[in-house]
Every structure is written in C-alpha cells, then in structure tokens.
Amino acid sequence: MKIGFLGTGLLGSPMVEKLLENNFETTIYNRTTEKLQPLVKLGAKQGSSFGDVINNSDIIFVVLADYNAVNLVLFDENVCLNGKTIIQMSTIAPEENVALSEETVKAGGKFLEAPVLGSIPQIKAKELIVIAGGDEKLLVELKPVLNSFTGKYVFAGNIGSASAIKLSLNHLIASLTASFSLSLGYLREQNVNHEIFMDILRASAVYAPTFDKKLGKMLNRDFNNPNFPLKHMLKDVNLMLDAFGKVNLDTAQLEGVQHIIKSGLNMGLENLDYSSLYNAVHLENK
C-alpha cells in the first residue's frame, strides 16, 4: 500500500511522521521544498510534483489551504485518479467537498471527506478526531492507515455533512477565543485578580477548556510556536461567513470576530497562534 501526502504544513508534517512510524511507504510533496527535508530524513520519499505523488500512490491524503488548491491539484490534466482513494482533510465548504467527490468518482476514484478536530499535540497522542463523510465502509477500510495518528472517528453521513460540522466547531473556537479575550482584557484593566474570575468560571456551565488552554499565552502575550496561526483562522472565518450566509443565518456576531482577526493581521500577528487576537482586543498600554 503506497501512501501519498499533499501538504506538509503544521498538520501535515506530524501526520506524515506518524505514517512513517507505522511503516507506511509515504511519498510527499509541498511547493515549499524546504518543508519536506526533515520528513525525507525520516524516510519519506519526495515526489517531483503533486501529480507525481498522486499517480504513484494508492491512498492520497490532501491537506491544502483551500478548495481552489485542492481542485487544481486533483484534476490536473496529468493526474490519473482511476483506482485512487482520496482522503480530503482540508477545511472547505460542504458543497465544495461534494463537487470534489463527484469529480473523483467520475474519474474512477474513491473519496472520503475527513476534516479533523485537533492539532499537533493530538496527532502525537493519536487523539486527533476525524470527522468523516461519504461511504462508511470506506472509512472502515481506511482505519488501519488512519490509526497511525488517530483512534477517534465520527461518521457524519453523506459528503458535506462532515464539512458542516467542522465549520460549526471552528466557529465556536473563533468566537470563544474572542469572547474570552474581551472578558480577560476587561478584568485586567480593572485590576481584578483573574484567578478569582477563573475559579468561578471553571465551576460554571459556561466554562470551556480552551479558556485555560489559552490563558497563559494571553497573560504573557506570548503567541509563538502556533499549532494554528491567526491567518488560517481568518481563512476559516471567511469561509464560515459565506457558508452561514447562504442558509439565511444572521452572521453579525461572526462579522465582529472577523473584524478583530483582521485587526490582528494588520498588527503583524498573522503567523502567531490564533489566540493572539487577544492583542487586537486588549491593546497594550491602553
């Protein structure tokens, strides 16, 4: 069984490491070739192009930036998808995964929609949550491979359903982070001991673990070594606004979060952890 992996960024690289640890022959490609070298040293094969990886693999993981990138790679004129299995993990809209699936099947391939919840620590601990859409039998067939970095699966239903769940989860991540930033910023401006607030919060129904996860970063204003950078959160929020708006939802709250994130990017925070939006909410020396 030959594995292909397209996109070796923050999520892709540790996934490839786990595949290699489990002795899967894995060929990789990334337009930024420097990102490939640490994985090549671990035993991965370096493809000459995206098409080269697809054409010479049986199962292909796709973890790219957006729908346009995925579409361009999968349906290049030099790519043959006949007999291939595509595991599409990029965060895109439901209708986009439906379109990719239909084209893949027309070309003779199989398609599993499989966005994930979690990041580098969860991959290393094999606790990444895979949210699958499509053929449940295909998910079962792929578990020996997916078990390299996860043991947690949720089958959502038809293609598109997993994407809808992923967007809804990412909406909560963005909104909770922005809301917590505002509460914490206010307390600090009022010179209130934040631990009193946190003790109350932790015992309440409105507590979310992400608050403690990001608290230290916000208190120290240290957002280096991101598992998910702020610029990627903006991409997802833009995607949510488009998707939610199409089904007649009032997105005013999310538009506010988008405004905060854009302010963060204007401050040069794009490559820092997404919790750096705190700096856009609570300006230093204000």
Side-chain angles (χ1 to χ4, degrees):
M1 185 184 298
K2 296 180 180 179
I3 308 297
F5 210 103
L6 306 180
T8 55
L10 287 173
L11 278 182
S13 289
M15 287 183 183
V16 171
E17 289 181 18
K18 286 297 182 180
L19 288 167
L20 294 171
E21 284 179 13
N22 284 270
N23 299 315
F24 286 105
E25 181 180 330
T26 307
T27 304
I28 59 177
Y29 183 77
N30 193 304
R31 286 196 175 96
T32 306
T33 56
E34 303 86 69
K35 293 182 178 181
L36 301 176
Q37 300 317 305
L39 297 172
V40 170
K41 291 179 180 178
L42 292 175
K45 296 182 178 180
Q46 182 174 337
S48 60
S49 66
F50 286 121
D52 177 50
V53 172
I54 296 173
N55 293 335
N56 291 288
S57 302
D58 303 309
I59 297 171
I60 299 96
F61 287 88
V62 181
V63 189
L64 299 174
D66 53 31
Y67 167 75
N68 289 334
V70 177
N71 186 65
L72 184 66
V73 165
L74 291 183
F75 306 114
D76 182 272
E77 61 181 7
N78 297 313
V79 167
C80 178
L81 292 179
N82 187 43
K84 310 295 183 181
T85 297
I86 304 299
I87 304 176
Q88 205 300 102
M89 293 185 150
S90 310
T91 300
I92 60 177
E95 63 270 19
E96 293 172 338
N97 263 321
V98 170
L100 292 172
S101 177
E102 290 175 348
E103 290 301 312
T104 299
V105 172
K106 284 180 184 178
K110 297 179 181 179
F111 187 94
L112 186 73
E113 171 193 33
V116 301
L117 183 66
S119 191
I120 298 171
Q122 287 72 39
I123 293 170
K124 292 182 176 180
K126 293 188 177 183
E127 295 178 348
L128 194 68
I129 299 175
V130 173
I131 311 163
D135 184 349
E136 190 170 9
K137 291 181 180 179
L138 181 58
L139 171 62
V140 173
E141 290 174 9
L142 292 170
K143 281 186 178 182
V145 179
L146 294 170
N147 283 341
S148 298
F149 46 77
T150 182
K152 297 186 177 182
Y153 306 92
V154 177
F155 180 69
N158 294 332
I159 298 287
S161 55
S163 304
I165 291 173
K166 172 64 172 173
L167 291 182
S168 297
L169 289 167
N170 280 16
H171 163 250
L172 287 174
I173 293 170
S175 297
L176 286 171
T177 305
S179 295
F180 183 65
S181 295
L182 189 60
S183 293
L184 182 63
Y186 175 70
L187 291 173
R188 297 181 81 184
E189 287 295 322
Q190 292 295 316
N191 295 314
V192 173
N193 185 337
H194 69 272
E195 276 302 333
I196 297 175
F197 166 75
M198 290 302 301
D199 285 344
I200 297 170
L201 181 60
R202 291 180 187 114
S204 76
V206 297
Y207 175 71
T210 189
F211 299 152
D212 270 310
K213 182 179 177 182
K214 298 302 181 182
L215 176 62
K217 289 182 176 293
M218 293 176 180
L219 291 175
N220 297 316
R221 296 186 185 268
D222 181 0
F223 307 102
N224 292 307
N225 302 313
N227 291 326
F228 189 67
L230 190 62
K231 64 182 178 183
H232 289 174
M233 176 172 276
L234 179 60
K235 185 270 291 184
D236 285 357
V237 167
N238 290 339
L239 190 60
M240 294 169 210
L241 283 169
D242 180 66
F244 295 178
K246 287 178 179 177
V247 292
N248 301 315
L249 293 173
D250 187 332
T251 58
Q253 177 227 27
L254 189 55
E255 289 166 14
V257 176
Q258 180 195 50
H259 171 78
I260 294 168
I261 297 174
K262 284 183 174 179
S263 296
L265 264 61
N266 289 335
M267 295 167 64
L269 308 176
E270 63 272 13
N271 293 313
L272 299 180
D273 186 79
Y274 68 84
S275 57
S276 62
L277 63 78
Y278 175 79
N279 278 357
V281 171
H282 183 201
L283 299 179
E284 290 188 87
N285 302 318
K286 183 177 177 181

